[in-house]
Every structure is written in structure tokens, then in C-alpha cells.
Amino acid sequence: MLTSITEGILCCLTGKAASLVLPLESSEPSDGFEFVEVKPGRVLRVRHIIPERQPVVTEEQLAGKEKTDSDYNDDSCPEDLNNESNTGSSVHCKRKITVYRNGQLVIENLGDVLHSEILQCQDGDLEPCSTVEVELADYKEMPSSPDPNPISPPGPSPLGEQKPAPPPRRRRRKPKRTVLIDSKRVISSCKGTHSDVALFFVHGVGGSLDIWSSQLDFFSRLGYEVIAPDLAGHGASTAPQIAAAYTFYALAEDLRAIFKRYARKRNILIGHSYGVSFCTFLAHEYPDLVHKVVMINGGGPTALEPSLCSIFQLPSCVLHCLSPCLAWSFLKAGFARQGAKEKQLLKQGNAFNVSPFVLRAMMSGQYWPEGDEVYHAELTVPILLVHGMCDKFVPMDEDQRMAEILLFAFLKVIEEGSHMVMMECPDTVNTLLHEFFLWEPDMSKKDSSKTDTEKTVALSDTLHTLKINKPMDK
């Protein structure tokens, strides 16, 4: 603690941050590690593991038709290696998202809506079309029109009974914005033997690719190609001493470059905490390349905005003095238990090991106004939400709200886990993720024996009203 305070004072006097995160001296790939220059002078460490796969024997080869070596090495058509990877279920994604000026958000699901128990890896069932009306809490307290039936003064009614006053009727105004989504998506099982599948792992603030060690080892052994980068200023990536290098948009462009470099035909994004926002960004930007998404303790579908009354707004030298307290607070809030095992995991995974300058710049740069409820509602990719019950950073209701907004979302809660659930419960998380990767919907029940009249009745019976505690207009 005394050393930390001394270094903090020197940091204030010299104006230089201590304990900077710098890249390794060698840029040669070692043990699956590579260094990618996403911009001049901006180098990210990436762990890239390509498993050794046995050539797949197709029916043509069994019939005597041999393929040349170029057929296997052609990255432009990786799906030819295994015909099974081409199979899948075609899902009709059709949605109408209407934003009203009074704060209402109405989502009409006009196409297929999937529901499945991912934990048991069951086939997805189709639900009838439904309309989701999201009503903001702020608007709930402010009626948009006078109550047509005001409450009577206290006293007995003429019939001797006192009836409660009906709720005020809200007048729906003209739409402020309407978004139409009409597309078809093929959702298929992704196996490690499929050469057109790649897994991308993105960590959050203060972490590194080392927090994914259990997942990277597990899925690479199963034959998956895995990619995990260190964000700028984290792990062994370069740490520019300029705050603009750590804004959401700067980091998102870094990950865009990494994604474009390593992407295959079918890509699965796995994000944790702040990393979930970058996965959402990539899924929105590349809907044809992103096949599935996993969000681990990512929070609600709200636009990002830095807090002005946060401890991370203090000067870097002060944060450096407080680093032992911050590390202990992270251990207490990020793990369900604070034993020797958790301390070792925190140290080995570099889960909270960045310079005070990078930490302050990361927290101040979380500005992403586009990532609101409508932005998330536009996603058509299947998404698995994993939440640690003991998480003190992300409340449970935020992930529940995310599941309500998304089109194809499956929420799984791990009771013994906290914010760093993939480090605390690696076996459980790996099982959930793998079953989600292998899952594909069963569309055989589509357009069952229901008549058009029955479908119309089912549509009117599935009107749900959800509560969102964040205003749409800022």
C-alpha cells in the first residue's frame, strides 16, 4: 500500500503513469499468440488456435471421386469440407418496431419466434406471432391525456358499493420512428469439425484474454478455431497514453479489424461485461457473418453513457494510490467467494490488471448512444444470455430486460456464479456454450394444424406489456 501511494505521488509529479502495459518484445507467434497491428503503432495481442482436423471423407470420395489438395486448402469455400455444416433451419425474421413520441416502444413479431431449452439441447419450438409493448417507467408516471373517468370523492356510491377507478387511458400518438425487419436466417449446428466456424472471445474492462483460458483450451480441444484478443491497454497489447484511444468507437474499430482478419463463414461471438457491447456492434454490422452470440453478464439493452459521479473520474495518480482497494473491491464484487482459489484466478487471469490511466480512460470512454433498445431489437441472431446469480455489477433484471427485447434470446442463470462466472464455474459455462453452439431449431412444427382463425385468436391472446426503466429519448 505504501509503495502504491509513493508511485502515485511520483505519477502526479512527473505526469507519467506507472505500470504501463506494453507488448511483448517478440512479435513471432508463440503458443498460439499473435500480434496484429490494427492501426499504425496500435498492436493487439491475439490468441489464435487453429486445431488440426482430419480430412472429411465425403460421399463422392467413397464413390471414387477424389478431391485435390487445393479443394481442402481453398478458404473461399470452406463449407465444402463437410456437407453437414451446410444444413440448417431457415427462420423467417420479421419484426415491426415502432417508437412513439410519448415514450412507448411497440415490437410486433410477425415472423417466427423461437423458444427452446438450451440446457437440455432440445430442438426449438415455434411460438405464435406476438406483439410486445414496451412502456417506459417515466411515461407510466405521467399520463398523456386527462383521465376520462376521474375518481369519485370518498363516500358510499349510489348502489352502496365503491368501485375502483379504471386506469387512465393513454392516447397513442403518431410514430416517431418505424423500423421494419424482414429477412430469413439459416440457423444450424456448429461443430468443432466444421472448418467454417470460428469462435471470438471478447473480454471487458480491466480484463485480458487470459480470463478465457478454460474456454479456449476446452473448445480448441473439441476442434474449434478460437480467437481471443487483448483490448488496447490490456494484457500484452499496446497502451497509448491518450484518452481518445479507449473510447467505445476506437475499441470497436480495433475489434472490427480483428473480426475481418479471422472471420469464417459462420462466426460465434462470446462477450463478457463491456465486451458484450462490442459483440452486439459486430452482430449488427455483420448480420450475415455472425451466426450466434453469447452475452455473459452484459447488462440491459441500453445506450452507454459514462457516469459523471464515479470514482473512476478521479485523477490517475489518485486511482493508482487506491489500486489495492479497487482490486479488493473487484474481488469482492466479481466473485461469489473470496478465498485463495479466487485470488489465484484473479492473478492468473489478469482479470483486473491495467494501469490507472487506462482504467480511467476506459470508464470515461463508454459512450455509445446508438446502442439503445431499438438497436438491440433489430438483431436477428440467436443469443444466449448467461448470468451469474451473485453478480453485484449487473443486476438480474437487466439481463431479463435484454431477453425481453431480443428476438431469439435464451437466458440461463448460474446460481453459484458471479460476474466472473466463466472463471468460477468453467465446466458449467463450457457446457452451456457448447450446447448452444450445437443447437438448431426444429422447424417441422411450423404451420401446424392451426387454421387462420385460430392463429388470429392466438395473436390477440399473446399481447404482453413489459416494463423498461430507461427513457428512450435523452
Side-chain angles (χ1 to χ4, degrees):
M1 181 68 179
L2 181 60
T3 303
S4 177
I5 296 176
T6 304
E7 292 178 351
I9 296 175
L10 293 176
C11 175
C12 293
L13 295 176
T14 61
K16 297 181 180 180
S19 303
L20 298 181
V21 182
L22 299 176
L24 300 179
E25 295 181 0
S26 174
S27 61
E28 297 295 329
S30 176
D31 194 22
F33 291 96
E34 303 174 4
F35 288 89
V36 180
E37 189 174 25
V38 292
K39 290 181 180 179
R42 193 176 176 97
V43 181
L44 302 185
R45 181 183 67 157
V46 180
R47 188 175 182 188
H48 181 208
I49 303 177
I50 305 178
E52 296 182 359
R53 298 188 180 94
Q54 297 295 330
V56 179
V57 180
T58 63
E59 295 180 358
E60 289 82 358
Q61 289 175 321
L62 294 177
K65 181 181 179 181
E66 297 293 338
K67 287 190 175 183
T68 62
D69 293 338
S70 60
D71 294 331
Y72 289 106
N73 297 328
D74 186 7
D75 292 336
S76 61
C77 299
E79 65 273 13
D80 292 338
L81 291 177
N82 195 333
N83 292 333
E84 186 182 0
S85 64
N86 289 326
T87 63
S89 300
S90 179
V91 179
H92 187 194
C93 306
K94 190 173 183 181
R95 254 187 168 186
K96 181 179 179 182
I97 307 171
T98 307
V99 182
Y100 292 91
R101 296 185 182 277
N102 59 5
Q104 287 179 308
L105 174 65
V106 177
I107 303 175
E108 299 176 73
N109 295 323
L110 307 176
D112 299 330
V113 181
L114 298 176
H115 176 72
S116 175
E117 286 293 336
I118 301 298
L119 186 59
Q120 285 75 29
C121 202
Q122 299 175 356
D123 292 331
D125 296 332
L126 285 178
E127 293 181 346
C129 301
S130 61
T131 300
V132 178
E133 182 176 349
V134 179
E135 185 179 338
L136 305 182
D138 292 347
Y139 172 72
K140 176 184 175 183
E141 299 173 358
M142 299 171 56
S144 59
S145 60
D147 189 355
N149 298 314
I151 301 177
S152 305
S157 63
L159 299 179
E161 297 180 358
Q162 185 173 356
K163 297 181 180 180
R169 180 176 299 174
R170 297 176 178 86
R171 178 168 53 90
R172 183 169 294 174
R173 301 177 181 177
K174 293 182 179 181
K176 178 181 179 181
R177 181 161 62 119
T178 301
V179 179
L180 298 177
I181 300 173
D182 192 352
S183 63
K184 288 188 177 180
R185 171 179 289 274
V186 177
I187 304 174
S188 59
S189 172
C190 299
K191 299 181 181 180
T193 55
H194 298 164
S195 60
D196 64 337
V197 175
L199 310 182
F200 289 81
F201 294 83
V202 184
H203 66 81
V205 178
S208 70
L209 63 85
D210 297 324
I211 68 173
W212 303 109
S213 296
S214 298
Q215 286 71 43
L216 299 179
D217 295 339
F218 177 81
F219 287 106
S220 61
R221 288 197 303 267
L222 291 178
Y224 288 93
E225 180 178 358
V226 297
I227 302 98
D230 278 333
L231 296 180
H234 295 68
S237 296
T238 54
Q241 291 301 292
I242 177 173
Y246 303 99
T247 63
F248 172 84
Y249 296 101
L251 298 172
E253 290 303 318
D254 291 348
L255 292 175
R256 186 203 294 270
I258 296 297
F259 181 77
K260 293 174 65 176
R261 178 186 179 94
Y262 296 102
R264 299 296 182 182
K265 183 179 179 181
R266 296 183 296 168
N267 304 279
I268 302 178
L269 309 180
I270 304 97
H272 171 251
S273 192
Y274 191 28
V276 169
S277 298
F278 300 113
C279 293
T280 303
F281 169 80
L282 292 175
H284 203 277
E285 292 289 309
Y286 303 98
D288 296 331
L289 291 177
V290 177
H291 200 64
K292 296 176 181 177
V293 176
V294 179
M295 300 180 176
I296 302 178
N297 294 327
T302 56
L304 297 181
E305 186 174 353
S307 175
L308 299 179
C309 301
S310 172
I311 188 176
F312 299 104
Q313 298 296 330
L314 296 174
S316 301
C317 56
V318 178
L319 292 178
H320 188 80
C321 298
L322 299 176
S323 57
C325 299
L326 295 176
W328 168 248
S329 299
F330 180 82
L331 176 65
K332 189 175 181 180
F335 292 84
R337 300 177 180 84
Q338 291 79 42
K341 175 184 176 181
E342 286 72 25
K343 293 180 180 179
Q344 187 67 17
L345 288 175
L346 183 66
K347 181 178 180 181
Q348 292 178 350
N350 286 325
F352 195 77
N353 185 24
V354 293
S355 69
F357 175 82
V358 172
L359 181 61
R360 183 178 187 272
M362 287 285 292
M363 299 302 293
S364 301
Q366 293 185 0
Y367 178 70
W368 185 35
E370 294 86 3
D372 56 5
E373 288 89 348
V374 178
Y375 190 92
H376 288 80
E378 292 175 346
L379 296 177
T380 59
V381 58
I383 297 176
L384 173 64
L385 300 168
V386 180
H387 183 85
M389 180 64 76
C390 303
D391 191 353
K392 297 181 180 63
F393 290 112
V394 179
M396 178 66 184
D397 59 350
E398 289 195 16
D399 276 330
Q400 289 177 337
R401 187 170 68 218
M402 179 74 83
E404 293 167 348
I405 290 291
L406 296 172
L407 179 59
F408 304 140
F410 314 98
L411 175 60
K412 295 299 175 183
V413 180
I414 301 179
E415 296 183 358
E416 64 274 17
S418 184
H419 192 66
M420 309 301 294
V421 63
M422 63 283 192
M423 302 178 68
E424 297 173 295
C425 313
D427 295 337
T428 304
V429 172
N430 292 342
T431 301
L432 280 175
L433 267 59
H434 192 210
E435 291 179 348
F436 180 61
F437 299 164
L438 299 179
W439 167 81
E440 67 178 35
D442 182 11
M443 308 302 292
S444 61
K445 299 180 181 180
K446 184 177 180 180
D447 295 334
S448 57
S449 58
K450 287 186 177 182
T451 63
D452 293 338
T453 304
E454 291 174 338
K455 292 180 181 179
T456 303
V457 174
L459 174 61
S460 61
D461 291 341
T462 53
L463 178 64
H464 304 288
T465 301
L466 309 177
K467 304 300 180 183
I468 299 297
N469 298 322
K470 177 181 178 295
M472 291 295 302
D473 299 326
K474 291 189 176 180

